[in-house]
Amino acid sequence: MQFVHEKNIEIDPELEKLLPPLSKEDYQMLEQSLLQNEFMQHSTRIQLWCPPEEEENDNNAHPAKSYIIDGHNRYRICQKHNIDLPSWCFDWLCFDTKEEVKKYIYENQLARRNLSPIQKISITEKYRSIYEKQAKENQSLGGGDKKSKDYQKSVESNLTQAVDKKRNPTTDEKLSKIAGIKTTTYKMGAKVLKSGNEDLKQRVLSGETSISAGYKELMMNRNKNTTPIEKKPITPEQKIIEFDNRMNEIDREISSLRTERESLMRRRTSLFESLDIPCELKYEFVEKDRIGLSRDCIFYAEIEGHKQVFVSASVYGDESPLDSWSFIMSKVPEKYKNDFIMLWKKAHYEEVEEFNRRLDELNKRQKASEEDGKDFYKQCYKTLAKSVHPDGGGNIEAMQCLNQLKVMWGI
């Protein structure tokens, strides 16, 4: 291949359409990179193809034309901003026909790992005409002279394929195998791409809508255009049963999700504890009464050297704020939500343990106080008994009153 001047490089619209267009963001990133670094040695080269007829006509008066196979966007950006394209930035590929170039582009695109399933389907669909042409050629093998050996072989081959369907896959099966996608998914994607719904196609191609969801939407839109089947009216009783069944399903889903969430929270907490990971959200207790049994727990974060308090509440009654304090969750910033639930549970167990300790201490003090009171009353009884007891010259009625006081004092 002789050197091809940059001015003789052309873009073939038919070949360019075979490549998926870049998004606006990707194009801007590529343009910015080329403006900053120009065309670097490690950059992907621009692939060119020079048709054989051009090579034959190549002379000084009429230099050969080359067509871009891959690198249209890079070439256009360089042309737009007058960025030099050295000779090493081009790669010339040899193909005899444009069909071979197309096939190379298809295979090259499918080899890219970052393609989504719908993009693979979009590229592979361009193979369809090739395989449908092959299928027609296979069918035409049955024509001609019935006495010929070629015809007999073709008949035998067709009969064998009819018996063994696995050896005669459909065009959809062949294309789905090339794309590496399940046949059912491939068929759904192909129907979406062939539909006239441009908005739906773009949503599926961009990944905003999945292939299955896009196919369902396409079928629903088609059904809307058909004559609707007359449905029998649903009675209020049937509607209530339908609502109840759905609510029961939701309850089961909620229960399952709660169980999963609790499991994840336990595992999350264990990681914090085992690895001693510092938590940006913190908590501490504040006394509420003189007895010391009731305390509030404040949850805060230190922001620019100051405490930013988000919640102040009692954590004694509930193991989780989700149980009955859901309105408090709105006061906690989103990034602290999981930390808040984790710390609440930790603070709850700490508060229960502290409450029980203080309660035991209070009961001990009260019991000691009661014992001290009994000792005082016993001493009073003994002193009074000496003066009012009949054996000591006291009054019987006074002794009876003293005994009544003894019962009241519990001694």
Side-chain angles (χ1 to χ4, degrees):
M1 167 63 67
Q2 297 180 2
F3 174 75
V4 177
H5 194 275
E6 187 179 330
K7 291 182 179 179
N8 297 314
I9 296 174
E10 294 188 7
I11 293 176
D12 188 324
E14 186 180 1
L15 296 180
E16 186 180 17
K17 286 180 181 179
L18 299 178
L19 298 167
L22 286 180
S23 64
K24 185 177 180 181
E25 293 77 11
D26 289 341
Y27 186 89
Q28 290 174 347
M29 288 177 62
L30 177 61
E31 186 174 27
Q32 189 65 27
S33 175
L34 288 170
L35 285 172
Q36 290 177 353
N37 307 313
E38 295 189 347
F39 213 100
M40 307 296 288
Q41 284 280 1
H42 62 269
S43 301
T44 305
R45 296 182 179 184
I46 298 173
Q47 295 180 342
L48 300 176
W49 170 60
C50 182
E53 60 270 18
E54 288 290 337
E55 290 185 356
E56 292 173 2
N57 296 328
D58 187 5
N59 54 63
N60 294 331
H62 301 284
K65 291 182 180 180
S66 296
Y67 299 92
I68 296 177
I69 296 176
D70 190 16
H72 299 83
N73 294 304
R74 280 167 287 149
Y75 181 77
R76 279 203 172 99
I77 292 170
C78 290
Q79 291 289 303
K80 176 182 175 183
H81 298 286
N82 296 319
I83 298 173
D84 291 334
L85 290 171
S87 58
W88 51 259
C89 74
F90 297 106
D91 257 346
W92 281 273
L93 304 182
C94 297
F95 297 103
D96 293 331
T97 64
K98 185 184 279 190
E99 289 300 317
E100 290 181 6
V101 177
K102 290 180 182 178
K103 188 174 181 182
Y104 168 78
I105 292 174
Y106 297 151
E107 293 172 350
N108 194 38
Q109 288 300 305
L110 286 175
R112 295 185 178 181
R113 295 183 180 180
N114 60 343
L115 290 177
S116 65
I118 190 63
Q119 288 173 329
K120 289 182 178 180
I121 295 172
S122 176
I123 293 169
T124 312
E125 270 300 292
K126 295 165 185 176
Y127 274 108
R128 184 173 290 276
S129 60
I130 297 173
Y131 279 93
E132 286 178 346
K133 183 179 178 181
Q134 288 179 355
K136 288 180 180 179
E137 289 175 353
N138 291 337
Q139 289 176 358
S140 66
L141 291 175
D145 185 5
K146 292 185 180 182
K147 296 180 181 179
S148 67
K149 293 181 180 180
D150 291 340
Y151 172 76
Q152 291 177 359
K153 288 181 180 179
S154 68
V155 171
E156 290 174 0
S157 175
N158 289 336
L159 286 173
T160 305
Q161 290 176 359
V163 174
D164 187 1
K165 292 184 178 179
K166 291 182 180 179
R167 293 178 58 189
N168 187 24
T170 63
T171 302
D172 285 326
E173 289 171 340
K174 291 178 182 177
L175 295 176
S176 63
K177 187 176 181 180
I178 293 172
I181 297 170
K182 289 183 178 179
T183 305
T184 51
T185 304
Y186 187 94
K187 287 181 179 179
M188 289 191 291
K191 286 185 179 179
V192 171
L193 293 173
K194 290 177 183 177
S195 70
N197 192 332
E198 292 299 325
D199 174 65
L200 177 61
K201 284 198 291 187
Q202 291 305 317
R203 282 190 281 115
V204 174
L205 283 168
S206 65
E208 181 183 345
T209 304
S210 67
I211 294 175
S212 58
Y215 178 76
K216 288 179 182 177
E217 184 178 332
L218 181 66
M219 292 300 101
M220 286 177 65
N221 291 337
R222 286 183 179 178
N223 293 335
K224 286 179 182 179
N225 297 329
T226 58
T227 305
I229 301 173
E230 187 176 351
K231 295 183 179 179
K232 294 181 180 179
I234 301 175
T235 64
E237 291 80 7
Q238 290 174 326
K239 205 67 180 173
I240 290 172
I241 293 172
E242 182 183 333
F243 292 157
D244 288 342
N245 290 337
R246 181 56 186 150
M247 286 190 289
N248 290 335
E249 288 178 7
I250 292 172
D251 288 339
R252 286 192 293 271
E253 291 173 6
I254 291 173
S255 176
S256 175
L257 290 172
R258 265 190 194 148
T259 302
E260 183 181 357
R261 196 185 199 290
E262 288 171 2
S263 174
L264 290 173
M265 183 57 72
R266 284 195 298 271
R267 291 162 64 186
R268 183 181 191 272
T269 304
S270 65
L271 282 174
F272 269 86
E273 293 174 350
S274 62
L275 301 177
D276 195 21
I277 300 173
C279 186
E280 190 174 347
L281 189 69
K282 298 177 175 62
Y283 72 91
E284 63 182 34
F285 291 97
V286 179
E287 304 290 346
K288 281 183 66 177
D289 54 37
R290 294 179 181 176
I291 301 175
L293 288 178
S294 179
R295 301 192 301 176
D296 269 350
C297 185
I298 62 171
F299 295 85
Y300 66 94
E302 291 184 357
I303 301 174
E304 296 180 355
H306 299 284
K307 283 185 179 179
Q308 176 71 42
V309 178
F310 302 115
V311 171
S312 178
S314 172
V315 297
Y316 177 80
D318 298 305
E319 184 178 315
S320 169
L322 298 176
D323 295 337
S324 57
W325 295 86
S326 56
F327 68 95
I328 282 183
M329 296 296 293
S330 61
K331 298 181 180 180
V332 182
E334 189 66 32
K335 69 174 183 176
Y336 295 134
K337 294 274 175 150
N338 290 325
D339 289 342
F340 176 62
I341 297 169
M342 178 182 72
L343 293 182
W344 178 289
K345 188 171 184 177
K346 185 178 179 181
H348 165 75
Y349 288 127
E350 186 178 330
E351 177 68 345
V352 169
E353 185 177 347
E354 180 64 15
F355 179 86
N356 293 334
R357 187 191 67 77
R358 292 188 178 195
L359 185 61
D360 290 341
E361 187 178 327
L362 180 61
N363 289 335
K364 287 177 182 178
R365 287 203 302 268
Q366 288 178 345
K367 189 174 181 180
S369 178
E370 289 174 0
E371 291 297 330
D372 291 342
K374 285 183 180 181
D375 291 341
F376 173 75
Y377 289 129
K378 284 179 182 179
Q379 189 62 37
C380 291
Y381 177 80
K382 289 178 181 179
T383 303
L384 291 173
K386 290 178 181 180
S387 60
V388 299
H389 198 278
D391 294 341
N395 192 326
I396 296 175
E397 291 179 357
M399 190 65 199
Q400 289 176 345
C401 289
L402 183 59
N403 286 332
Q404 289 178 356
L405 286 173
K406 180 181 178 182
V407 174
M408 290 175 61
W409 290 341
I411 58 175

